[in-house]
């Protein structure tokens, strides 16, 4: 298994929650010094069904998407530190076929869970997804079982799974690992659900209320724990991880005495534009 | 094999044929006793998903499944076999029941998908399905699932994460309904037949992929004469339960072995390539500190 430490490209987070963020921004916003050890980037798409749509083979589409957006698949996994706390992270990139969950997604997440257990790391998943990857048929559906099973093992090891749902998060991802987490968080305004609003309207002819399926809507219905602004995410994660570890780091205490963290500072600068 | 090559779409239509036997038909034909248990002890009783305690070939089991109606009127009452969160929470309760009394869990899968309504979203449809899946991955009692008609999406998988997954010859099992998949792939639900063909929703393909364990032949097709298929299904379930009895020894170590085997079964599902470099590496600055 290849490992390397890398620095993400320079990125100034805006802290705006209404903008979709992709993998490099997500990681650079969270990671101490932007340092990230990526795992399993060599796991890439296969085409078990020999799927062709509109004359384009699935593998071609996957390759084209990967090249265009510079991501190898719909998720990136690895290890980073948030305020000195090491954790495993699995982040989706919506640009890669709507971050739909296929075999690579499932395998990388399962490996990340197993590695987190082996290295005694908590796990953070950041999910936006259109649902299951149609082009891999039932293989995709089974990733719901596979990922949920892997997370059960993380739980058996008493390691916390923190899940952040981001816009948009639907279908097989919402109906599996992303909502069985110990703490389920969501970004303000993010649309989250099982069935998409268009499907619901078509099938049921029901008029959907304003704010339907927003993070706030789910919160009001008791489905998620915390609605968290992007600029507060790192601090919130650090606090949770301290509580789970039962150890308060002195570094954190000093920072809170200062009343600010460098990350929050950057976020404030970015959003003042 | 006498089985003729029929198109994937024909198979979809067969799987949806209203004259096929549904879950309660299987249960009543295969079980000497059946006491249906109702409700999720929280919000209601969803009759799109039924279950309870039963006596199957000399042993007590917990059985549950999606239930379509036998008529239009009953279909409306049963929401066409599309459970709401209450149904999945009832299922979860019955799964726990099987575990508590150390009896096997047998499930029958026959749903177009989970209910996509407003109230279902408000009540956490995705969460209820996810909890069912999580429960099944960790259940310390042997489990057998049979896809008897439509295995539609997460709403099917919610009761399908079993030690043995069987499928009737004319059933389908798919990541999304062919109509939904066509709407996603081609933005045109009318291309459902193309989606069915491309997604390989039939039992023989899924067996070849290692995603199910056994195909139960329908001789004759179940919508023509259900009894032969129901008997064959009973035989297959019994065989699976006997095999699982062999491997599942009572006690902590036996439970561990059962869970390990189930974990391995689902862990290996999926196809991917591994290569030395990835596109991502080219776009990020790499430093080796």
């Amino acid at each position: 298994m290849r490992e390397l430490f890398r620095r993400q490209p320079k990125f100034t987070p805006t802290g705006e929650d209404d903008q979709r963020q992709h993998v490099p921004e997500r990681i650079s916003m969270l990671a101490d010094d932007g340092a990230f050890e990526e795992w399993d980037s060599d796991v890439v798409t296969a085409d078990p069904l020999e799927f062709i749509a509109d004359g384009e083979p699935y593998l071609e589409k996957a390759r084209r998407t990967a090249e265009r957006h510079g991501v190898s698949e719909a998720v990136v996994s690895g290890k980073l530190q948030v305020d000195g706390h090491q954790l495993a992270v699995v982040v989706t990139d919506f640009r890669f076929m709507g971050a739909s969950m296929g075999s690579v997604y499932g395998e990388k997440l399962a490996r990340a869970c197993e590695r987190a257990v082996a290295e005694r790391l908590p796990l953070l998943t950041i999910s936006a997804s259109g649902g299951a990857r149609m082009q891999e048929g039932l293989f995709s559906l089974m990733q719901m079982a596979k990922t949920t099973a892997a997370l059960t093992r993380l739980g058996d090891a008493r390691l916390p799974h923190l899940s952040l749902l981001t816009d948009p998060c639907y279908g097989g991802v919402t109906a599996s690992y992303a909502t069985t987490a110990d703490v389920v968080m969501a970004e303000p305004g993010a649309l989250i659900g099982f069935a998409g609003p268009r499907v619901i309207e078509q099938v049921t002819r029901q008029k959907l209320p304003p704010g339907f399926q927003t993070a706030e809507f789910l919160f009001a219905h008791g489905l998620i724990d915390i609605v968290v602004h992007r600029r507060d995410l790192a601090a919130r994660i650090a606090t949770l991880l301290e509580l789970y570890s039962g150890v308060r780091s002195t570094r954190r205490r000093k920072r809170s005495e200062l009343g600010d963290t460098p990350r929050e500072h950057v976020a404030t600068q970015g959003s003042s534009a | 094999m006498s089985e003729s090559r029929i198109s994937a779409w024909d198979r979809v239509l067969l799987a949806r044929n209203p004259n096929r036997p549904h879950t309660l038909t299987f249960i009543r034909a295969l079980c000497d006793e059946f006491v249906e248990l109702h409700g999720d002890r929280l919000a209601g009783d969803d009759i799109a998903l039924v279950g309870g305690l039963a006596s199957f070939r000399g042993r007590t089991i917990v059985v549950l499944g999606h239930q379509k109606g036998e008529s239009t009127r009953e279909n409306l009452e049963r929401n066409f076999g599309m459970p709401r969160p209450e149904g999945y929470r009832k299922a979860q309760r019955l799964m726990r029941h099987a575990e508590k009394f150390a009896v096997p869990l047998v499930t029958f899968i026959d749903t177009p998908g989970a209910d996509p309504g407003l109230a279902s979203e408000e009540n956490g449809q995705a969460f209820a399905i996810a909890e069912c899946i999580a429960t099944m991955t960790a259940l310390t009692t042997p489990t057998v699932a049979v896809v008897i008609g439509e295995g539609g999406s997460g709403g099917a998988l919610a009761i399908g994460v079993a030690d043995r997954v069987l499928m009737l010859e004319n059933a389908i099992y798919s990541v999304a309904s062919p109509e939904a998949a066509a709407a996603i792939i081609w933005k045109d639900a009318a291309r459902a037949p193309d989606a069915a063909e491309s997604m390989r929703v039939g039992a023989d393909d899924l067996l070849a992929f290692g995603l199910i364990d056994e195909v139960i032949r329908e001789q004759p097709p179940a919508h023509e004469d259900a009894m032969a298929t129901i008997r064959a299904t009973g035989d297959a379930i019994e065989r699976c339960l006997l095999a699982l009895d062999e491997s599942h020894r009572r006690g902590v170590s036996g439970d561990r072995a059962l869970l390990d085997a189930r974990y391995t079964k689902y862990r290996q599902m999926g196809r991917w390539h591994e290569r030395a470099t990835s596109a991502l590496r080219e776009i990020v600055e790499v430093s080796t500190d």
Side-chain angles (χ1 to χ4, degrees):
Chain A
M1 204 163 296
R2 285 167 163 272
E3 293 173 31
L4 71 168
F5 250 76
R6 68 172 52 128
R7 296 200 182 279
Q8 294 297 316
K10 198 83 194 130
F11 174 77
T12 310
T14 63
E16 297 290 335
D17 293 313
D18 57 354
Q19 227 176 24
R20 281 183 192 163
Q21 252 190 345
H22 304 296
V23 166
E25 299 95 308
R26 287 269 174 213
I27 288 170
S28 86
M29 209 168 158
L30 272 179
D32 291 349
D33 308 322
F36 176 57
E37 174 192 311
E38 189 181 352
W39 296 342
D40 303 314
S41 62
D42 45 357
V43 178
V44 294
T45 323
D47 181 14
L49 308 189
E50 296 168 352
F51 196 101
I52 299 177
D54 300 326
E56 187 181 34
Y58 168 46
L59 272 191
E60 285 304 308
K61 186 182 168 82
R63 259 186 222 125
R64 192 165 50 83
T65 310
E67 276 165 25
R68 182 157 153 226
H69 298 296
V71 283
S72 62
E73 243 282 358
V75 289
V76 169
S77 61
K79 180 161 73 173
L80 50 72
Q81 285 189 20
V82 178
D83 266 0
H85 295 273
Q86 287 211 328
L87 73 160
V89 290
V90 177
V91 187
T92 66
D93 198 309
F94 197 75
R95 296 169 302 176
F96 193 98
M97 301 181 73
S100 50
M101 182 160 64
S103 299
V104 173
Y105 192 137
E107 180 65 16
K108 286 174 90 166
L109 180 49
R111 287 189 192 186
C113 290
E114 287 167 350
R115 195 143 164 190
V117 171
E119 298 187 23
R120 301 285 316 159
L121 297 171
L123 175 74
L124 169 69
T125 56
I126 301 181
S127 312
S129 176
R133 177 86 47 92
M134 295 299 128
Q135 290 83 347
E136 293 181 32
L138 203 69
F139 283 104
S140 296
L141 190 72
M142 292 304 152
Q143 304 312 307
M144 294 169 69
K146 174 169 168 170
T147 55
T148 307
L151 278 152
T152 304
R153 296 225 148 169
L154 188 86
D156 289 346
R158 289 247 169 95
L159 293 164
H161 170 207
L162 312 181
S163 172
L164 176 70
L165 309 176
T166 69
D167 186 65
C169 199
Y170 280 94
V173 168
T174 317
S176 66
Y177 77 90
T179 54
T180 58
D182 299 295
V183 178
V184 181
M185 300 176 282
E187 290 192 331
L191 291 177
I192 301 153
F194 178 66
R198 207 157 37 99
V199 171
I200 299 171
E201 278 177 337
Q202 276 170 5
V203 174
T204 68
R205 308 196 187 285
Q206 286 169 311
K207 190 98 186 101
L208 302 177
F212 180 64
Q213 291 186 327
T214 58
E216 294 77 4
F217 175 92
L218 269 76
F219 184 81
H221 284 89
L223 296 169
I224 57 179
D225 293 292
I226 302 166
V227 177
V228 61
H229 285 274
R230 205 169 277 169
R231 60 177 172 276
D232 300 329
L233 180 65
R236 190 53 75 98
I237 286 167
T239 307
L240 283 167
L241 294 183
E242 277 168 18
L243 290 168
Y244 283 112
S245 71
V247 179
R248 284 200 150 264
S249 86
T250 49
R251 188 167 156 236
R252 172 79 190 154
R253 214 175 297 135
K254 273 181 202 147
R255 277 195 180 174
S256 55
E257 276 162 17
L258 288 171
D260 199 3
T261 68
R263 187 168 298 95
E264 282 162 6
H265 186 61
V266 173
T268 312
Q269 269 185 342
S271 60
S272 63
Chain B
M1 186 99 327
S2 62
E3 175 226 3
S4 56
R5 282 306 300 173
I6 66 170
S7 77
W9 185 243
D10 287 337
R11 198 77 84 184
V12 172
L13 297 179
L14 268 180
R16 291 173 177 171
N17 188 309
N19 295 322
R20 283 180 74 83
H22 299 132
T23 292
L24 284 171
T25 314
F26 277 88
I27 295 175
R28 288 184 184 127
L30 290 172
C31 299
D32 301 325
E33 298 284 349
F34 172 57
V35 179
E36 188 174 349
L37 301 175
H38 292 270
D40 67 348
R41 305 270 169 91
L42 190 67
D45 184 38
D46 181 357
I47 58 171
L49 193 148
V50 298
L53 276 166
S55 169
F56 170 72
R57 302 197 179 176
R59 66 164 89 208
T60 300
I61 62 169
V62 167
V63 61
L64 60 90
H66 308 101
Q67 182 63 37
K68 292 183 177 176
E70 303 299 338
S71 62
T72 305
R73 189 200 158 121
E74 195 195 346
N75 247 329
L76 287 169
E77 285 168 5
R78 295 199 183 271
N79 200 29
F80 300 87
M82 298 186 292
R84 301 180 167 95
E86 302 90 286
Y88 290 112
R89 293 192 172 112
K90 173 167 70 178
Q92 207 189 326
R93 180 168 86 81
L94 294 175
M95 292 168 188
R96 294 267 176 241
H97 198 87
E99 182 174 63
K100 176 175 178 180
F101 293 100
V103 298
L105 174 74
V106 175
T107 71
F108 292 101
I109 294 171
D110 189 16
T111 182
D115 176 67
L118 170 59
S120 289
E121 294 289 327
E122 288 177 331
N123 296 328
Q125 183 69 290
F127 294 73
I129 292 169
E131 288 300 333
C132 270
I133 293 171
T135 301
M136 285 198 87
T137 65
L139 208 66
T140 54
T141 199
T143 53
V144 177
V146 192
V147 187
I148 56 172
E150 273 184 285
S153 192
L157 183 71
I159 61 167
V161 191
D163 297 313
R164 297 284 186 280
V165 180
L166 317 177
M167 198 167 157
L168 299 194
E169 183 179 354
N170 292 318
I172 60 165
Y173 198 1
S174 91
V175 63
S177 73
E179 289 82 358
I184 293 169
I185 301 163
W186 295 290
K187 312 261 180 284
D188 181 6
R191 292 190 64 180
D194 293 335
E197 196 71 52
S198 306
M199 290 196 302
R200 315 277 193 98
V201 299
D204 289 324
D205 277 338
L206 299 176
L207 181 70
F209 289 144
L211 296 173
I212 62 166
D213 299 296
E214 188 178 333
V215 180
I216 300 165
R217 297 290 158 198
E218 297 180 26
Q219 290 164 336
H223 65 279
E224 289 173 13
D225 174 12
M227 270 327 290
T229 295
I230 291 174
R231 252 194 314 273
T233 303
D235 293 346
I237 293 170
E238 188 176 23
R239 239 184 301 114
C240 288
L241 291 179
L242 288 170
L244 288 164
D245 280 345
E246 282 294 304
S247 58
H248 181 222
R249 302 261 170 255
R250 289 281 160 88
V252 174
S253 66
D255 289 347
R256 194 69 254 168
L258 182 77
L259 294 183
D260 282 348
R262 196 182 300 144
Y263 185 77
T264 305
K265 175 182 171 66
Y266 289 93
R267 178 68 182 79
Q268 54 82 30
M269 287 185 186
R271 300 279 172 88
W272 61 89
H273 291 307
E274 304 212 20
R275 62 175 195 213
T277 56
S278 80
L280 186 71
R281 291 213 178 133
E282 294 155 23
I283 60 129
V284 264
E285 286 175 35
V286 178
S287 77
T288 49
D289 50 336

